[in-house]
Amino acid sequence: MRVHSVHRRPGSVRRLGVALLAVTALAAACGGDDGGEEEAADTTVTTEVTETTVVTEVVTEPTVEAEEEVAFDPEGELRIGLGLVSNTSATVLDPIALPSPATPIQYLLYDTLLRAQMNGSFEPGLASAAEVVDPSTISIELNEGILFSDGTPLDAEAVKFSIERNKNSGNTGAFAAEMQAIQDIVVESPTSLTITFSSPVAGVFFTLLSRGETLIVSPTAVQSGVDLNATPIGAGPFVLESFTPEGSMRLVKNPDYFQADDIRLAAVEYVHTNPQDPQAVVNALSSGAIDAADILSEDQVAALAGTDLETQVEASNSTLLWGQICKANPPLSDVRVRQALNFGIDRDAMNELLFQGRSEPQWGFWRQDHPFHNPEMTDFFAHDPEKARALLAEAGYPDGIRVTTFVSPGVSQRGAEILQQQWAEIGVELDIAVATNIVQEFFVDKQREMYFFPLGRSGLDKVTRNLVPGSIGNVCEWNDPELNAIVDQLRALPQSADNPETVELWHQLEELALTEAMNIFGVFGTVANAWNPERIGGAEFIPNFQGAPNLDVRDAYIVP
């Protein structure tokens, strides 16, 4: 007999109080009215105008609203398919040892100061509030009474210890470059601290409060020599029970979690599905071996057609199928050649062939319905073979050119093959090779001029990791002072569509990137999820570090 339980879910939101400092006297930096599921709030916005700044502060007042009753199985265990390959971010659990940015697994073990939402907003997490005081300062207020799973308190000193530990690790693979801009962390009380930066990066660092850069570990555990990879000691909703590489990872509910009443699962088990075998996920879902899987390909979604599984497929602002290029040498060092290559792409045809028309062309870094997209750049590189050939001739290549590219199996290779056919019409021969170690072969050794692939990046990372000096993603160290200056201004501002200055700077950045043809702009990719609705209730999604949706385990439950 299955045991049933009733859980009361708050039917309203708790909004994150944020004070945002504008950089001019006439522009208000408006904070977002961010939604959560903790408690209700009436929001009053107050504005203080001084001689040099305009400060907008969101003030929250609790109210009482009706609660929703949800029946669930309190012993329910959720099974999620994932590639549990050793030494990947799915299996490395100490934040400073991660080979790449943290995954939702680490979020379940440690929780995060803030919790990112798919709409770009943030909810309170371990922190009850966070505030961008000015472009070089963030203040944080923690929830009271939080304990690590070893029973020690998570306080402001623990936050300071952990963030400094992450910074001092020098782990550029897992942590954003803005970590190195931390100048000081001052603890004002057990629940209050302030982070200051050596440069104005507070706006973009604010987003890192929801990511692996600011995961908080137990100082007592670290100082006593606990191996956090084997025994992660955090303050998250789950604790590690067992892990077998390429087998399974089982997390069980943390009874001492400060919001334990909100967690409706007894356990979550990640089951290994071979990432090199796309059919493995399809088989596991179809057979019921797993209940859900994230970040599926179009082919995997098609293979699930006709089953009782529910799938979600949508175009993504954070998946860019494009050509990352080395612009240091001819012919790609010539802007006219790069423009010609972009004019030579029929993006509508590419969208239909690869994504059944569910995506859209890239006219910059954001989809056309996003406020950060510059509408004046829509159709900027509309397919025009005649113009492409004229630009090549003007650049001194009337007989065409040869371009070499790496690809990876799947949509990367198929997209490049479409590109190969389209560019042949403008006199461009595209030589395609499948990479065996793309990081070494392309990003380090630069053995080819281009890598055509679906890049997964969210927010300002789309630019800083690919077009600004200092990142391995910026092939051949492209250095555009005008672009760098715009990025520096954006780093200081909240990445909010409510902030007119942020929107205007993104518009400038898109215009510059397209005008200079800094990349080969293709189409936005799609992201897909699948789950068994007969077993899983509360199917909501949160973004991973790339902005792709992952099932939110905190909200999910097993249907009784």
Side-chain angles (χ1 to χ4, degrees), residues 519-538:
N519 261 29
I520 305 302
F521 292 92
V523 297
F524 289 97
T526 60
V527 290
N529 307 78
W531 66 97
N532 182 349
E534 294 184 359
R535 271 186 52 82
I536 299 176

Side-chain angles (χ1 to χ4, degrees), residues 425-551:
E425 298 177 10
I426 63 171
V428 174
E429 177 190 354
L430 182 61
D431 187 308
I432 299 173
V434 178
T436 57
N437 183 340
I438 191 61
V439 172
Q440 186 65 43
E441 293 169 337
F442 179 69
F443 291 103
V444 176
D445 295 340
K446 305 170 181 62
Q447 295 176 13
R448 293 201 161 222
E449 299 161 289
M450 182 171 78
Y451 177 33
F452 194 77
F453 73 115
L455 173 75
R457 285 289 181 269
S458 64
L460 201 53
D461 276 1
K462 303 177 192 181
V463 182
T464 56
R465 305 274 289 200
N466 304 291
L467 294 171
V468 175
S471 171
I472 191 174
N474 182 5
V475 187
C476 301
E477 286 293 296
W478 172 257
N479 191 351
D480 185 294
E482 186 177 355
L483 178 131
N484 298 343
I486 295 173
V487 168
D488 285 343
Q489 293 177 73
L490 278 169
R491 281 175 163 146
L493 296 172
Q495 295 302 292
S496 168
D498 293 329
N499 187 332
E501 187 169 4
T502 302
V503 172
E504 174 57 27
L505 285 168
W506 268 110
H507 287 184
Q508 293 177 26
L509 195 151
E510 283 202 326
E511 180 178 4
L512 179 62
L514 267 76
T515 302
E516 293 297 316
M518 293 183 181
N519 261 29
I520 305 302
F521 292 92
V523 297
F524 289 97
T526 60
V527 290
N529 307 78
W531 66 97
N532 182 349
E534 294 184 359
R535 271 186 52 82
I536 299 176
E540 302 291 339
F541 299 88
I542 56 172
N544 66 8
F545 80 97
Q546 296 173 323
N550 281 215
L551 183 69

Side-chain angles (χ1 to χ4, degrees), residues 28-194:
C30 301
D33 188 20
D34 301 331
E37 292 191 1
E38 313 266 334
E39 63 186 4
D42 286 337
T43 301
T44 303
V45 179
T46 61
T47 302
E48 173 189 356
V49 182
T50 71
E51 291 182 0
T52 58
T53 64
V54 178
V55 179
T56 301
E57 184 174 5
V58 178
V59 182
T60 61
E61 296 293 341
T63 63
V64 177
E65 292 188 8
E67 294 181 334
E68 174 190 359
E69 291 188 355
V70 175
F72 71 101
D73 178 0
E75 303 300 321
E77 300 187 5
L78 174 65
R79 300 161 301 181
I80 300 176
L82 189 66
L84 297 175
V85 180
S86 296
N87 299 318
T88 65
S89 285
T91 58
V92 174
L93 302 178
D94 185 343
I96 67 169
L98 287 165
S100 59
T103 73
I105 290 178
Q106 286 82 26
Y107 300 167
L108 294 179
L109 294 169
Y110 297 103
D111 206 347
T112 49
L113 292 168
L114 302 180
R115 297 173 191 146
Q117 304 301 299
M118 290 304 302
N119 64 3
S121 67
F122 299 90
E123 293 182 1
L126 298 173
S128 60
E131 181 178 307
V132 178
V133 179
D134 61 49
S136 298
T137 312
I138 290 176
S139 67
I140 299 171
E141 185 71 26
L142 300 173
N143 282 295
E144 296 181 351
I146 303 176
L147 297 177
F148 289 109
S149 57
D150 62 359
T152 59
L154 188 154
D155 55 16
E157 288 289 353
V159 174
K160 173 183 170 73
F161 171 88
S162 296
I163 294 177
E164 289 180 344
R165 178 177 185 258
N166 292 346
K167 173 192 174 182
N168 295 336
S169 71
N171 187 345
T172 57
F175 302 144
E178 286 79 14
M179 287 292 287
Q180 299 309 311
I182 296 174
Q183 184 175 59
D184 195 14
I185 302 177
V186 176
V187 172
E188 286 109 10
S189 77
T191 58
S192 302
L193 66 151
T194 298

